[in-house]
Amino acid sequence: MRKQIKHLENMSEFVGLSVKGGVTNAPIINPYLTKTRKKPILSVEDYVKGILDGNISVLSQAVTLIESSLPAHQKLAHCILEKCLSFAGNSVRLGITGVPGAGKSTFIEVLGMYLVSQKGKKLAVLAIDPSSERTKGSILGDKTRMEELSASRNAFIRPSPASGSLGGVARKTRETIVLCEAAGFDTVIVETVGVGQSETAVHSMVDFFLLIQLAGTGDELQGIKRGIMEMADGIVINKADGENIEKSRLAQNLFKNALHLFPYPQSQWTAEVLLASAIEKTGISQVWNMVEKYIDFVIANGYFQNNRNEQSKYWMYETIDSQIKDRFYNNINIKKLLKQVEQDVLTHKISSFAAAHKLLDKYFCEEGYEID
Amino acid sequence: MRKQIKHLENMSEFVGLSVKGGVTNAPIINPYLTKTRKKPILSVEDYVKGILDGNISVLSQAVTLIESSLPAHQKLAHCILEKCLSFAGNSVRLGITGVPGAGKSTFIEVLGMYLVSQKGKKLAVLAIDPSSERTKGSILGDKTRMEELSASRNAFIRPSPASGSLGGVARKTRETIVLCEAAGFDTVIVETVGVGQSETAVHSMVDFFLLIQLAGTGDELQGIKRGIMEMADGIVINKADGENIEKSRLAQNLFKNALHLFPYPQSQWTAEVLLASAIEKTGISQVWNMVEKYIDFVIANGYFQNNRNEQSKYWMYETIDSQIKDRFYNNINIKKLLKQVEQDVLTHKISSFAAAHKLLDKYFCEEGYEID
């Protein structure tokens, strides 16, 4: 019987269904992720040695440990992480965002090939896409869309961790950056899709934030989510080819003018707006020149290190804040009460503050009101 | 001897010094706040009755209870608040922000006088200014700068609560809105200075958010903090008088164009940009017409109620989140560890995540790692 279930489990993994799992155990059709089911066979030292040797297979397994939700895997992952930490930090971290359809994957493929073949870089491509489900195309899509790059010896492409909150997913990606750097990758691209809060998360772990945009009907600016453009250190108008060139030049001016409306960033860097065509492979070297110019600029004025320090602090506090919130909202008593109390607030039975304190009192099991 | 100390305390309140207080007890020179030292003599029922009768003196005392940090006062304040809740909600809540020097106080004085004398409104003016200290001008300033308005029977002017975090100050102001509405005020203005995060707090408690701006050198847009303009339902270029008129018209166009760059707000309302002069009392009725037009518009499309519901939920969650964070960071063990751990992160001795978990483990005194 046990064997039969085991067999069913294996089957179900294959066809993308889950026998036992339900919601918490999403169906797995991504072959790169099946390794989470295997017992790790290496010791911490073996993992660390493998990573420092640049062994991609070991790196890949270590990333799988980071992504795993099993406590044993997590402990192991964190031991590896702490040991790799002092070997990390030596890469240029580039965040890339843009709405679906802007051609991010193709752009990254072409930029990536330029970096590995012409600039001699070792490139890791990671992704944060909390909206993705394993059954949707986006996870496997990256590897298939980046066919040439994924075949390169000097590139490591890793899809988005497939489950968890944005904070959790982002944290795992940030840990993966550390491992990639320790494995000798000198350039890291973190890709995210232009939805939700994922840009802020990516912005908080990269040195340069690139927005990929399309020329369109003149409405380009309308479509940009609040704050995204202000975070951009550079904008690339992609698909600036053929009939699109004239429109793309107009969009370039539009974006240049719009950038002037924003306050000067802390980095003191003036964001640039470039044209490129991933399909025709034009404008790619200019994009990389911009990134290098920026890095030189912010290293010289001290912003580079300052920003990385702020990011480290940010992730410490972000982790703390999200953990204490998770504990609160996952508390069994709070879960029971929350919906009713929220309803009472909406129907004006109690104030927002009384509602909050009702829940807080329940959680901390204490004597009564304690405000500020 | 006791008498002497008592005398000294009274003296010190008068001259703005504190004998016993030190940092936690800031010197009091604002006579409106000395009531916190008096024992409340009314019962909850008396307070509620007084407020519902529109008794300004009782209302004022109840607000003082809300602002007090004494647990007994807080309990009393919250009992009053809960009983007033079902009588509240019937006002137009207007948030006003703008950089210092934009002429907010004068503008509010003139708009306020227009509302009480020509539109028959009962107006409460509250303020959120977490940066203010009692000894600085801003607290007493409002009442002196709004001399005419503060003498009006139909106006209630209350300076910013003088101490506490922004979250705490904002919460107290939101509670004060409830009491003012229960006391029959049909219009509430919440003023804030254009610094820090206070705009977000004000935006989360008002129906209409007004940005007061000055025409200048064409650099107006540069000076606006991220996100402020996107929150605005209307912009007023103040001091559009005399030689300034031409410049103000240019600024008006600049702002109108800039507003087009932002995505359409949830309210579906297109923000307007108006000219006014508080000194010459021009453009004031147009500003109010805009607010009324907006209110009609969002009541009709359902956004008004929807927004208020979202705000109620926001404040419940905001209160919870800030309280659980306060408890964590005020924990004696955490306080001892935090600086050292932060330093270890900055010197790459441990990762941000290990640092966070070191602190979390200390706080929850539990067995070990527990991630996500």
Side-chain angles (χ1 to χ4, degrees), chain B residues 7-293:
Chain B
H7 177 67
L8 267 171
E9 278 176 35
N10 290 340
M11 278 288 291
S12 68
E13 280 182 19
F14 181 73
V15 297
L17 295 165
S18 174
V19 179
K20 296 193 305 184
V23 177
T24 51
N25 256 344
I28 290 172
I29 58 163
N30 180 347
Y32 302 101
L33 290 169
T34 55
K35 283 168 189 150
T36 50
R37 298 295 173 99
K38 287 187 191 157
K39 259 212 159 131
I41 41 160
L42 302 178
S43 66
V44 172
E45 285 65 33
D46 287 340
Y47 274 112
V48 174
K49 192 179 173 301
I51 289 167
L52 295 180
D53 286 348
N55 184 324
I56 298 298
S57 162
V58 174
L59 170 65
S60 197
Q61 284 174 55
V63 174
T64 301
L65 292 177
I66 283 179
E67 292 174 354
S68 168
S69 53
L70 291 182
H73 288 183
Q74 287 175 5
K75 268 192 190 165
L76 191 53
H78 281 90
C79 290
I80 299 166
L81 191 70
E82 295 311 305
K83 286 195 190 295
C84 286
L85 201 63
S86 56
F87 302 97
N90 301 312
S91 82
V92 168
R93 301 167 184 169
L94 173 62
I96 294 185
T97 190
V99 291
K104 282 191 301 297
S105 296
T106 318
F107 181 83
I108 293 171
E109 159 99 336
V110 174
L111 175 64
M113 283 312 295
Y114 169 78
L115 292 175
V116 297
S117 63
Q118 292 190 44
K119 305 291 282 187
K121 300 286 182 194
K122 285 195 75 184
L123 173 70
V125 179
L126 313 175
I128 292 184
D129 181 5
S131 66
S132 78
E133 290 163 29
R134 287 183 191 179
T135 41
K136 287 193 185 155
S138 55
I139 297 300
L140 282 171
D142 271 355
K143 278 226 176 186
T144 42
R145 267 176 286 175
M146 299 181 193
E147 215 172 330
E148 205 185 347
L149 189 61
S150 62
S152 164
R153 282 179 147 268
N154 289 317
F156 174 71
I157 300 177
R158 187 81 188 190
S160 178
S163 62
S165 64
L166 170 60
V169 168
R171 243 173 287 147
K172 287 168 184 175
T173 301
R174 195 171 187 265
E175 293 175 328
T176 301
I177 293 177
V178 170
L179 299 193
C180 290
E181 289 175 343
F185 289 94
D186 53 27
T187 313
V188 177
I189 289 178
V190 185
E191 177 194 1
T192 190
V193 74
V195 292
Q197 289 297 304
S198 54
E199 277 86 3
T200 311
V202 172
H203 186 251
S204 305
M205 64 176 80
V206 297
D207 305 312
F208 188 100
F209 196 66
L210 183 69
L211 171 63
I212 300 191
Q213 214 39 48
L214 290 182
T217 57
D219 269 356
E220 293 81 353
L221 294 164
Q222 289 281 354
I224 301 180
K225 225 168 44 76
R226 298 182 174 202
I228 299 285
M229 211 161 73
E230 288 162 89
M231 291 196 292
D233 302 302
I235 296 175
V236 170
I237 319 277
N238 192 21
K239 303 190 186 175
D241 46 37
E243 288 177 353
N244 259 326
I245 287 189
E246 202 45 51
K247 267 200 286 183
S248 301
R249 289 219 179 92
L250 287 173
Q252 186 179 28
N253 278 326
L254 202 64
F255 278 103
K256 275 187 182 168
N257 288 332
L259 283 169
H260 281 138
L261 301 177
F262 294 118
Y264 225 50
Q266 254 193 299
S267 63
Q268 306 293 314
W269 168 260
T270 310
E272 295 183 9
V273 186
L274 302 177
L275 301 183
S277 165
I279 303 282
E280 299 200 344
K281 301 186 184 177
T282 54
I284 304 301
S285 64
Q286 284 84 340
V287 171
W288 187 247
N289 288 346
M290 167 176 66
V291 174
E292 286 194 324
K293 203 172 108 193

Side-chain angles (χ1 to χ4, degrees), chain A residues 69 71 74-75 78-79 81-82 85-86 163-165 167-172 174-175 221-227 230-231 254 257-266 305 308-313 315-321 323-329 338-339 341-342 345-346 348-357 359-361 363-364 366-372, chain B residues 69 71 74-75 78-79 81-82 85-86 164-165 167-172 174-175 203 221-227 230-231 254 257-266 305 308-313 315-317 319-329 338-339 341-342 345-346 348-357 359-361 363-364 366-372:
Chain A
S69 54
Q74 288 174 6
K75 267 193 191 165
H78 281 90
C79 290
L81 191 70
E82 296 310 306
L85 202 63
S86 57
S163 64
S165 64
V169 167
R171 243 174 290 148
K172 287 167 185 176
R174 194 167 188 267
E175 293 175 329
L221 293 164
Q222 288 281 354
I224 301 179
K225 225 169 45 76
R226 299 182 173 202
E230 290 162 88
M231 290 195 292
L254 202 64
N257 288 330
L259 283 169
H260 281 138
L261 300 178
F262 294 119
Y264 224 51
Q266 256 192 294
Q305 194 51 51
R308 285 217 171 165
N309 285 348
E310 286 304 315
Q311 291 179 338
S312 293
K313 280 202 276 180
W315 284 101
M316 181 180 101
Y317 287 108
E318 205 282 332
T319 306
I320 291 173
D321 294 350
Q323 290 286 314
I324 56 179
K325 270 165 77 167
D326 279 2
R327 274 176 183 260
F328 183 87
Y329 292 108
L338 190 65
K339 276 292 142 205
V341 171
E342 196 181 293
V345 167
L346 293 181
H348 308 290
K349 281 190 195 148
I350 53 172
S351 73
S352 307
F353 309 100
H357 284 286
L359 293 163
L360 288 163
D361 288 348
Y363 184 66
F364 290 109
E366 278 183 19
E367 60 273 16
Y369 274 114
E370 202 187 300
I371 298 172
D372 263 3
Chain B
S69 53
Q74 287 175 5
K75 268 192 190 165
H78 281 90
C79 290
L81 191 70
E82 295 311 305
L85 201 63
S86 56
S165 64
V169 168
R171 243 173 287 147
K172 287 168 184 175
R174 195 171 187 265
E175 293 175 328
H203 186 251
L221 294 164
Q222 289 281 354
I224 301 180
K225 225 168 44 76
R226 298 182 174 202
E230 288 162 89
M231 291 196 292
L254 202 64
N257 288 332
L259 283 169
H260 281 138
L261 301 177
F262 294 118
Y264 225 50
Q266 254 193 299
Q305 193 52 52
R308 286 218 170 164
N309 284 349
E310 286 305 316
Q311 290 180 338
S312 293
K313 279 202 276 180
W315 284 101
M316 181 180 102
Y317 287 107
T319 306
I320 290 172
D321 294 351
S322 66
Q323 290 284 316
I324 57 180
K325 269 165 78 170
D326 279 0
R327 272 176 184 260
F328 183 86
Y329 291 108
L338 191 64
K339 277 291 141 202
V341 171
E342 198 182 290
V345 168
L346 293 181
H348 308 289
K349 282 190 194 145
I350 52 172
S351 73
S352 307
F353 308 100
H357 284 286
L359 293 164
L360 288 162
D361 288 348
Y363 184 66
F364 290 109
E366 278 183 19
E367 59 275 13
Y369 274 115
E370 203 185 303
I371 298 173
D372 266 5

Side-chain angles (χ1 to χ4, degrees), chain A residues 82-136:
Chain A
E82 296 310 306
K83 287 197 190 294
C84 285
L85 202 63
S86 57
F87 302 97
N90 301 314
S91 82
V92 168
R93 303 168 183 167
L94 172 63
I96 294 186
T97 190
V99 290
K104 281 190 302 297
S105 296
T106 317
F107 180 83
I108 292 171
E109 159 99 336
V110 174
L111 174 64
M113 283 311 296
Y114 168 78
L115 291 176
V116 297
S117 62
Q118 293 190 42
K119 305 291 281 187
K121 301 284 182 192
K122 284 195 72 184
L123 173 69
V125 179
L126 314 175
I128 293 185
D129 180 5
S131 65
S132 76
E133 290 164 32
R134 289 182 190 181
T135 42
K136 286 192 185 159

